[in-house]
Amino acid sequence: MSKPEFVYTTYIETTPEKLWLALTDGDFTERYWFGHRVASAWEIGPPYRFSKQDKTTIAGKVLAFEPPKRLSYTWDNQKPDLKHERSSRVTFDIEPRGKVVKLTVTHDNLDDGGKTFSDISGGWPMVLASLKSLLETGQPLPPMSSPAA
């Protein structure tokens, strides 16, 4: 039986370089990811982490780093009720399409029946809509209940 996989594609009026910065810069992620700040050396192998109010919520290691085309990392949820689930993988593929950029996010290698899959199925669309809004209008989505991240 195949493992669950979450794939989300959106088109954003921006450049690949600005989108790349938005995915890898902590000041940027904190604005659209509802207070979650990313930190990493951003090269293949070293760890990365997302923190909110100085508490790590997600951690892992960088698997692919190809600016401004592809970023991939493991996803190890640090929430107590999800720490038992295995490490999954997130991949961002960035493709220029004229004045817009096609962003495809694939989150795979998820546990069958795991809570992570249900959490990210609601969380990723909120985060990516906020990212799109920030890049296109200068404003992220207004605060709402926190995504699963």
Side-chain angles (χ1 to χ4, degrees), residues 122-141:
W124 275 123
M126 285 175 29
V127 167
L128 297 172
S130 189
L131 168 63
K132 178 178 171 67
S133 178
L134 180 59
L135 288 170
E136 292 181 345
T137 71
Q139 295 296 317
L141 293 181

Side-chain angles (χ1 to χ4, degrees), residues 8-9 27 29 35 37 53 67 73 75 80 82-83 121-122:
Y8 190 93
T9 300
D27 290 337
T29 63
R37 182 179 189 83
Q53 299 169 342
Y73 46 72
W75 179 280
L82 295 173
K83 284 184 95 168
S121 294

Side-chain angles (χ1 to χ4, degrees), residues 76-145:
D76 299 315
N77 206 313
Q78 303 298 300
K79 293 179 181 177
D81 62 331
L82 295 173
K83 284 184 95 168
H84 68 281
E85 292 193 21
R86 73 177 168 155
S87 182
S88 55
R89 177 180 53 214
V90 177
T91 303
F92 300 90
D93 287 304
I94 299 168
E95 301 173 46
R97 297 283 176 100
K99 293 184 179 184
V100 300
V101 175
K102 177 183 178 186
L103 172 63
T104 302
V105 178
T106 305
H107 196 143
D108 59 3
N109 201 33
L110 295 151
D111 280 343
D112 275 332
K115 187 173 182 327
T116 298
F117 181 76
S118 64
D119 284 358
I120 63 144
S121 294
W124 275 123
M126 285 175 29
V127 167
L128 297 172
S130 189
L131 168 63
K132 178 178 171 67
S133 178
L134 180 59
L135 288 170
E136 292 181 345
T137 71
Q139 295 296 317
L141 293 181
M144 59 182 93
S145 58

